[in-house]
């Protein structure tokens, strides 16, 4: 593991490459007197590992501190102001958040029109759309917060998982801002951000907790032991639930301009959820993994057998046609969510065995904005006297706030990179992690049904953090 880490040009690859006895020389931050903060002895336990960054990136002696323990100082949190940038899929988002959790601004530029036109995300087009708006989105976030770059403390950016072409746009922008204004930069895992944003809205939410992360590309059940430390209890063996919502919407001829999920949710309210007998996926597999490819096929067949024509928009459909579409939407949603419920019940039981002190189930990611999903999962957790924590819908779907907040959580424990150079060379290799697991798989829960799509998978966030901590 260590040798592979050394080859990675990343935050965690550079951890602990310097002897602990090395001199500690923090660099100067903007707007945040971190120098003062580092001088305070109570905030500097002496077992901090040291980070070393290549001299080409900063002064030769620049070493950085990291800590296992979050720093909690009111003035530190009040002074810390982080810009978060998110471009991993089809939304270009930026936000500015204060260390105390105050959201100073939030801007999202959606590519929903492209999604509606092409029925899915086309990476090259998504990249172009990000490139066109990224400067404006970041500028709007600064303007709305009434701040300039000089008043920021750090820049956080998603480096994975996601589409490489899209991630690159955000990382380039983040490095340009950080480089030009001498700001540290924090690399963020998109799925960790979906989970941790729950800690911004629910201050009582402590580690460990269980999280169900449901979006267009991911379906994860993870046990969050600590910041950067996750056990993956389940994942999808094929498609994620959001993808199934999107395709159902497309095949039912729904308006995709706000993405497929909300359109299916709305139409489902008119339908009879018991009318179409879809079967629940993976009933025979007693694990916490998911599969939505088969349900998608069932939906497609049901639509074909009822002669529903997706080219006829819902607004032009006859009332019989409309009610038939609504029945499919409602029946699909019911079964898609039953699959979540069943897996969550098992995951709660596993999680309580591993970490008996868990008190919360966090449900986040775009699909968590669905009210039916929330209501059904609330019933599940009540059986176990746990509390459901769902961020508000605009923090469930992709957003910059979750990136800024995860940046803040990591920054507090010293997991950040120094300011990059003001301009990256043209041939600069960006550290992008399109396939980047959050945690290691729970051994007892490994599914026989797992398809083995493991090629070019980056070492998990958890393995990198653990390896760096072990070297302390
Ligand atoms: O987290 P997210 O914004 O982006 C990804 O990381 O994928 O999730 C987007 C997904 C889309 O598939 C979208 O259809 C789904 O979340 N979604 C919903 C709802 N709102 C968004 N699915 C069901 N019901 C909703 N209300
Ligand atoms: Zn997402």
């Amino acid at each position: 593991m260590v040798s592979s880490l050394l080859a990675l040009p990343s935050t965690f690859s550079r951890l602990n490459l310097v002897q602990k006895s090395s001199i500690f020389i923090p660099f100067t931050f903007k707007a945040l007197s971190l120098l003062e903060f580092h001088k305070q002895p109570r905030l500097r336990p002496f077992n901090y590992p040291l980070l070393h960054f290549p001299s080409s990136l900063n002064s030769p002696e620049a070493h950085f501190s990291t800590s296992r323990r979050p720093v909690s100082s009111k003035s530190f949190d009040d002074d810390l102001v982080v810009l978060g940038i998110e471009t991993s899929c089809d939304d270009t988002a930026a936000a500015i958040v204060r260390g105390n959790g105050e959201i100073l601004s939030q801007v999202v530029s959606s590519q929903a029109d492209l999604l509606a036109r092409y029925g899915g995300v086309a990476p090259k087009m998504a990249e172009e759309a990000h490139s066109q708006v990224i400067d404006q989105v970041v500028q709007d976030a600064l303007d709305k917060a009434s701040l300039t770059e000089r008043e920021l403390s750090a820049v956080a950016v998603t480096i994975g998982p996601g589409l490489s072409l899209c991630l690159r746009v955000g990382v380039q922008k983040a490095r340009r801002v950080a480089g030009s204004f001498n700001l540290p930069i924090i690399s963020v895992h998109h799925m960790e951000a979906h989970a941790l944003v729950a800690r911004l809205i629910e201050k009582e939410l402590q580690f460990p907790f269980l999280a169900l992360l449901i979006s267009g590309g991911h379906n994860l059940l993870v046990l969050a032991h600590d910041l950067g430390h996750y056990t993956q209890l389940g994942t999808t063996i094929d498609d994620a639930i959001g993808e199934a919502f999107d395709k159902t919407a497309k095949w039912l001829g729904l308006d995709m301009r706000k993405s497929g999920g909300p359109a299916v949710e709305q139409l489902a309210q008119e339908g009879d959820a018991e009318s179409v007998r879809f079967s629940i996926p993976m009933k025979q597999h007693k694990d916490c993994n998911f599969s939505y490819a088969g349900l998608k096929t069932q939906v497609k067949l049901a639509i074909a057998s009822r002669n529903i024509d997706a080219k006829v928009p819902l607004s032009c459909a006859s009332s019989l046609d409309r009610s038939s579409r609504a029945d499919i939407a409602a029946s699909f949603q019911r079964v898609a969510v039953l699959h979540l419920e069943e897996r969550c019940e098992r995951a709660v039981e596993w999680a309580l065995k591993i970490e008996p002190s868990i008190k919360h189930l966090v449900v986040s990611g775009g699909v968590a904005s669905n009210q039916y999903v929330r209501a059904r999962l609330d019933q599940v957790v009540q059986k176990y006297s746990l509390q459901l924590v769902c961020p508000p819908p605009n923090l469930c779907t992709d957003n910059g706030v979750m990136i800024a907040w995860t940046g803040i959580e990591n920054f507090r424990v010293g997991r950040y990179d120094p300011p990059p150079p003001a301009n990256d060379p043209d041939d600069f290799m960006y550290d992008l992690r399109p396939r980047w697991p959050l945690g290691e798989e729970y051994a007892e829960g490994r599914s026989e049904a797992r398809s083995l799509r493991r090629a070019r998978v980056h070492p998990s966030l958890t393995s990198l953090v653990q390896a760096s901590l072990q070297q302390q």
Side-chain angles (χ1 to χ4, degrees):
M1 174 58 72
V2 173
S3 58
S4 70
L5 286 178
L6 291 177
L8 297 168
S10 68
T11 308
F12 300 115
S13 68
R14 299 195 204 111
L15 293 173
N16 302 311
L17 301 182
V18 178
Q19 295 301 308
K20 284 182 192 168
S21 56
S22 300
I23 311 159
F24 174 79
I25 309 174
F27 66 93
T28 322
F29 288 91
K30 298 282 162 61
L32 168 70
S33 51
L34 272 190
L35 198 53
E36 296 305 315
F37 149 67
H38 282 305
K39 277 184 197 157
Q40 298 171 38
R42 71 194 162 82
L43 295 177
R44 279 197 58 199
F46 292 107
N47 62 348
Y48 277 15
L50 295 170
L51 303 181
H52 175 250
F53 300 93
S55 54
S56 61
L57 287 182
N58 214 313
S59 70
E61 328 83 288
H63 302 151
F64 298 80
S65 140
T66 185
S67 158
R68 284 170 188 273
R69 265 169 275 176
V71 173
S72 61
S73 143
K74 189 172 177 317
S75 68
F76 177 87
D77 281 344
D78 289 349
D79 285 347
L80 185 61
V81 179
V82 173
L83 164 68
I85 298 177
E86 157 62 39
T87 62
S88 66
C89 190
D90 57 343
D91 288 323
T92 317
I96 299 178
V97 179
R98 214 180 267 289
N100 60 14
E102 187 188 350
I103 298 170
L104 300 179
S105 66
Q106 181 182 7
V107 179
V108 180
S109 168
S110 159
Q111 296 179 12
D113 282 347
L114 281 181
L115 191 77
R117 216 175 315 148
Y118 299 102
V121 182
K124 194 68 195 145
M125 263 179 283
E127 177 201 21
E128 268 167 36
H130 284 303
S131 302
Q132 275 168 19
V133 299
I134 186 75
D135 289 342
Q136 194 59 51
V137 165
V138 169
Q139 192 55 51
D140 286 355
L142 288 162
D143 292 346
K144 284 192 177 168
S146 304
L147 291 175
T148 67
E149 290 91 338
R150 287 178 206 291
E151 291 161 284
L152 297 172
S153 316
V155 182
V157 62
T158 308
I159 64 163
L163 300 167
S164 292
L165 288 174
C166 298
L167 291 165
R168 182 185 309 275
V169 177
V171 170
Q172 255 170 352
K173 176 67 182 175
R175 289 178 64 87
R176 242 182 290 133
V177 175
S180 308
F181 295 90
N182 200 34
L183 301 166
I185 191 159
I186 311 150
S187 301
V188 171
H189 190 295
H190 182 85
M191 299 313 289
E192 182 175 45
H194 271 307
L196 293 188
V197 75
R199 278 163 56 85
L200 181 155
I201 52 130
E202 174 56 73
K203 297 283 187 282
E204 299 295 301
L205 178 61
Q206 304 288 338
F207 293 106
F209 60 85
L210 180 62
L212 171 70
L213 308 176
I214 36 179
S215 65
H218 296 271
N219 229 97
L220 280 179
L221 265 165
V222 291
L223 183 50
H225 303 276
D226 201 351
L227 183 67
H229 184 186
Y230 303 88
T231 299
Q232 182 182 295
L233 302 179
T235 185
T236 179
I237 63 165
D238 42 53
D239 294 325
I241 184 171
E243 154 73 14
F245 265 97
D246 289 337
K247 284 294 183 305
T248 300
K250 185 181 164 194
W251 296 330
L252 286 176
L254 308 188
D255 181 353
M256 304 274 292
R257 275 172 301 176
K258 282 195 231 136
S259 82
V264 172
E265 180 181 10
Q266 201 183 348
L267 183 61
Q269 287 170 5
E270 298 172 22
D272 174 359
E274 308 274 349
S275 59
V276 188
R277 291 270 143 196
F278 295 129
S279 55
I280 303 172
M282 293 182 84
K283 269 297 230 192
Q284 71 283 19
H285 295 281
K286 305 291 177 207
D287 58 38
C288 292
N289 289 309
F290 301 89
S291 166
Y292 281 97
L295 181 57
K296 261 170 58 179
T297 307
Q298 292 184 60
V299 169
K300 198 171 191 176
L301 291 173
I303 289 172
S305 72
R306 284 162 182 76
N307 294 321
I308 291 166
D309 183 357
K311 287 194 225 74
V312 177
L314 184 67
S315 51
C316 302
S318 67
S319 66
L320 192 66
D321 185 3
R322 186 181 177 102
S323 85
S324 152
R325 295 187 202 204
D327 286 348
I328 292 176
S331 304
F332 155 74
Q333 180 174 259
R334 175 177 161 270
V335 172
V337 177
L338 271 173
H339 187 30
L340 293 181
E341 290 168 48
E342 200 208 35
R343 291 355 233 183
C344 277
E345 281 206 24
R346 185 170 295 118
V348 170
E349 280 161 20
W350 287 4
L352 284 169
K353 266 196 263 158
I354 308 167
E355 294 271 18
S357 65
I358 61 159
K359 296 195 170 45
H360 299 94
L361 170 68
V362 167
V363 184
S364 185
V367 183
S369 33
N370 181 302
Q371 296 303 323
Y372 179 77
V373 169
R374 289 170 180 236
R376 298 292 304 192
L377 293 175
D378 197 35
Q379 308 246 307
V380 170
V381 298
Q382 279 182 21
K383 276 198 230 163
Y384 297 90
S385 304
L386 299 184
Q387 199 189 321
L388 187 75
V389 182
C390 281
N394 69 343
L395 297 183
C396 280
T397 45
D398 288 352
N399 64 87
V401 172
M402 68 184 196
I403 306 305
W405 176 253
T406 304
I408 287 164
E409 293 237 28
N410 279 284
F411 191 83
R412 285 202 195 114
V413 296
R415 292 181 197 149
Y416 52 82
D417 278 334
N423 285 306
D424 287 321
D426 287 345
D427 59 351
F428 187 76
M429 292 280 289
Y430 292 100
D431 177 20
L432 308 173
R433 304 173 182 187
R435 303 189 64 198
W436 188 18
L438 192 49
E440 299 301 304
E441 262 180 287
Y442 179 47
E444 286 176 45
R446 210 163 268 159
S447 168
E448 287 146 31
R450 272 310 291 275
S451 67
L452 295 173
R453 288 192 301 174
R454 283 159 210 251
R456 295 195 307 279
V457 174
H458 202 280
S460 75
L461 173 76
T462 299
S463 68
L464 297 175
V465 172
Q466 294 303 307
S468 75
L469 292 173
Q470 274 160 22
Q471 288 176 37
Q472 282 178 48

